[in-house]
């Protein structure tokens, strides 16, 4: 597998290593395009938000680690949280702030927030981008107050995930080439064990995009090609549960008191 990838939709191609965070700067114009390179992140954000309980107290805080451009924000509307986003990428944080997120530029492995400050911590499509993912998990658990909820989704460290999420998906318009380094994919059992070490009993379930919805979306997208800015009409593909966690999986757990 090549270790470098051409990234760059808006500023022209430049060659960056796999998982280089500068790819998010080159792709900054894609975040909020429902038919763009980050389309699947929108579908995943909706599915992740479904795991977030309504806030149970005034002033409740949801810390969104690796928040990107804040795609979770519309799905949290009316849930009663102050949405705090932490990310390395400034160009993404600017857009997150425009969507009501209180942003902090920082590393998920050393978050500049106090212990127990969060009612909910979200880590959506983050851990598979962090070379020291156990450190990011430790931070997520540290931020949670007792009884707080951790929600996440990531890619498993399996041959099937490498095939599906890199070799196949990077040929589709739903995943930018080179955005993943498969060497960073997150072993599901190790993740559960790491969360347990930090007082969070994480429960997992496999997820995948609904095939019919993706095919309909690809068709709408193809039909809309040639009319730039056209948003494909119709519902975005749903993320549905699947029996296997071998590729993409969600986790939800509660921090012990
Ligand atoms: C695939 S995107 C997911 C964004 C967002 N969670 C979503 O689902 O729309 C990964 C994000 O993680 C950020 N990221 C990668 N490594 C990070 C780190 N160590 N600390 C904080 N953010 C990081 C990137 O800048 C990028 O915005």
């Amino acid at each position: 597998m090549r270790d470098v990838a051409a990234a760059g939709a808006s500023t022209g191609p430049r060659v960056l290593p796999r998982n280089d965070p500068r790819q998010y700067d080159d792709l900054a114009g894609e975040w909020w395009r429902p038919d763009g390179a980050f389309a699947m992140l929108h579908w995943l954000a909706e599915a992740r938000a479904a795991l977030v309980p309504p806030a149970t107290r005034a002033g409740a805080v949801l810390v969104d680690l690796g928040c990107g451009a804040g795609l979770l924000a519309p799905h949290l509307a009316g849930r009663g949280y102050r949405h705090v986003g932490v990310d390395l990428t400034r160009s993404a944080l600017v857009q997150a702030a425009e969507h009501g997120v209180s942003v902090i530029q920082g590393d998920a492995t050393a978050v500049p927030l106090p212990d127990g400050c969060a009612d909910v911590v979200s880590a959506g499509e983050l851990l598979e981008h962090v070379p020291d993912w156990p450190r990011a998990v430790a931070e997520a658990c540290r931020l949670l107050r007792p009884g707080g909820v951790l929600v996440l989704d990531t890619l498993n460290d399996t041959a099937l995930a490498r095939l599906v999420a890199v070799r196949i998906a990077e040929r589709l318009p739903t995943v930018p080439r080179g955005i993943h380094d498969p060497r960073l994919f997150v072993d599901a059992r190790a993740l559960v064990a790491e969360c347990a070490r930090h007082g969070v009993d994480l429960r997992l379930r496999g997820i995948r995009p609904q095939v019919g919805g993706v095919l309909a979306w690809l068709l709408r997208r193809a039909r809309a090609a040639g009319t730039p800015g056209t948003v494909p009409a119709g519902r975005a593909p749903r993320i549905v549960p699947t029996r296997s966690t071998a590729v993409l999986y969600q986790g939800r757990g509660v921090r012990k008191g």
Side-chain angles (χ1 to χ4, degrees):
M1 181 179 298
R2 292 176 65 216
D3 200 35
V4 294
S10 54
T11 58
R14 61 172 167 169
V15 177
L16 293 170
R18 283 192 170 275
N19 193 51
D20 188 314
R22 290 174 294 175
Q23 290 181 51
Y24 296 103
D25 291 322
D26 291 348
L27 293 163
E30 296 291 302
W31 282 109
W32 283 94
R33 288 185 52 218
D35 58 341
F38 290 136
M40 192 165 159
L41 292 178
H42 289 256
W43 317 341
L44 287 162
E46 182 179 10
R48 189 180 320 120
L51 302 180
V52 175
T56 54
R57 66 182 187 96
V61 170
L62 180 147
V63 176
D64 186 357
L65 297 178
C67 64
L71 303 189
L72 193 59
H75 307 289
L76 296 176
R79 303 280 192 95
Y81 292 99
R82 177 174 172 230
H83 185 178
V84 177
V86 179
D87 203 286
L88 290 177
T89 305
R90 196 175 146 65
S91 56
L93 290 172
V94 169
Q95 297 180 54
E98 288 166 4
H99 288 82
V101 182
S102 303
V103 300
I104 298 172
Q105 189 170 17
D107 193 320
T109 62
V111 181
L113 288 170
D115 297 2
C117 65
D119 298 79
V120 175
V121 172
S122 170
E125 300 303 301
L126 168 71
L127 298 177
E128 73 274 23
H129 296 284
V130 180
D132 188 358
W133 66 257
R135 187 67 236 147
V137 167
E139 282 293 82
C141 298
R142 177 185 70 77
L143 295 173
L144 276 179
R145 67 170 179 77
V149 176
L150 175 63
V151 297
L152 58 81
D153 38 75
T154 191
L155 287 160
N156 206 342
D157 182 19
T158 64
L160 186 61
R162 290 187 280 279
L163 174 70
V164 173
V166 180
R167 288 184 185 274
I168 296 174
E170 288 194 6
R171 289 183 167 78
L172 297 173
T174 48
V175 179
R177 280 187 78 94
I179 205 80
H180 290 120
D181 179 345
R183 292 171 299 185
L184 302 182
F185 287 4
V186 180
D187 180 78
R189 280 193 195 167
L191 176 59
V192 170
E194 197 60 31
C195 286
R197 268 181 11 96
H198 298 285
V200 173
D201 177 22
L202 194 73
R203 304 293 166 96
L204 304 184
R205 70 172 179 181
I207 51 172
R208 62 171 173 79
Q210 195 182 30
V211 175
V214 173
L215 292 176
W217 176 81
L218 286 169
L219 196 62
R220 289 198 302 273
R221 196 176 176 282
R223 285 194 182 129
T227 47
T230 304
V231 176
R235 202 200 181 287
R238 284 179 201 280
I239 297 292
V240 294
T242 184
R243 289 232 295 253
S244 171
T245 57
V247 179
L248 182 61
Y249 60 96
Q250 280 180 328
R252 185 182 190 280
V254 176
R255 170 87 200 259
K256 287 195 189 107

